[in-house]
C-alpha cells in the first residue's frame, strides 16, 4: 500500500525548497548572497556550515533561472564562499573536509581538481580514508569533464 500523504509531503518539500531558493535569488544580489554564505561558512557552527553548502549545491543543481542565479552558476568559482569551501579540503574538521569534497564534486567544480589533488597528497598518510574519498571525487570529476 502506498503512503500517498507521505509521498505528497516529500514532493511538497522539494517544490517549496526550489521556490524558496528562487525567492532568495530574486530578492538579493549575488554579492549579498556571497557575503551571507561566506559569513556562515566562516562562523564555526557545523550545522549552519552544512546548510550553507547544501544551499550552494541546490542553487547550482536547480539552476535558478534569474539574474542572480545565473551569475552564481556562471561565476561561483570567483566568489568568496567558494574559496572557503575549497580551503576546507584541508580543514582540521573531518566533517568540513568531507562536505567540501562532496560539494565540489556535486557541482562539477572542474577548476578545483588541482586543489583536490594537492589534498590527496597531504592526507594520503594522515587520513587514508579521506584521501580515498578525494581520489574517488577526482576520478569522477575527470570522467565528467571528459563527457561534458
Amino acid at each position: 500500500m502506498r503512503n500517498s500523504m507521505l509521498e505528497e509531503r516529500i514532493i511538497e518539500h522539494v517544490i517549496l525548497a526550489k521556490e524558496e531558493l528562487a525567492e532568495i535569488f530574486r530578492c538579493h544580489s549575488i554579492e549579498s548572497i556571497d557575503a551571507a554564505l561566506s559569513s556562515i561558512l566562516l562562523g564555526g557552527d557545523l550545522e549552519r556550515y552544512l546548510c550553507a553548502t547544501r544551499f550552494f549545491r541546490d542553487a547550482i543543481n536547480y539552476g535558478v533561472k534569474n539574474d542572480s542565479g545565473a551569475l552564481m552558476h556562471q561565476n561561483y568559482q570567483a566568489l568568496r564562499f567558494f574559496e572557503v569551501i575549497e580551503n576546507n579540503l584541508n580543514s582540521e574538521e573531518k566533517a568540513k573536509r568531507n562536505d567540501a569534497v562532496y560539494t565540489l564534486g556535486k557541482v562539477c567544480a572542474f577548476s578545483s581538481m588541482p586543489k583536490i589533488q594537492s589534498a590527496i597528497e597531504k592526507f594520503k598518510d594522515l587520513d587514508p580514508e579521506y584521501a580515498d574519498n578525494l581520489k574517488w571525487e577526482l576520478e569522477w570529476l575527470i570522467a565528467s569533464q571528459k563527457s561534458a
Side-chain angles (χ1 to χ4, degrees), residues 14 26 42 60 62 74 108 117 122 129 138 140 146:
V14 172
R26 197 171 19 259
L42 294 168
I60 296 300
Y62 287 151
Q74 295 165 3
C108 294
Q117 183 62 52
K122 177 179 178 178
E129 181 182 342
L138 183 60
W140 188 88
K146 286 179 182 175

Side-chain angles (χ1 to χ4, degrees), residues 121-136:
E121 294 303 315
K122 177 179 178 178
F123 286 98
K124 67 182 176 189
D125 295 326
L126 295 172
D127 187 344
E129 181 182 342
Y130 176 58
D132 286 344
N133 290 344
L134 288 162
K135 287 177 193 171
W136 189 92

Side-chain angles (χ1 to χ4, degrees), residues 7-48:
E7 290 173 9
E8 291 308 311
R9 286 190 69 198
I10 291 168
I11 299 303
E12 182 179 339
H13 168 76
V14 172
I15 290 169
L16 289 174
K18 283 178 140 180
E19 289 173 358
E20 178 65 23
L21 192 64
E23 180 68 16
I24 289 169
F25 279 94
R26 197 171 19 259
C27 295
H28 302 280
S29 70
I30 192 66
E31 294 82 8
S32 62
I33 293 169
D34 183 30
L37 287 172
S38 297
S39 176
I40 294 168
L41 293 173
L42 294 168
D45 182 290
L46 181 60
E47 185 174 346
R48 290 174 56 82

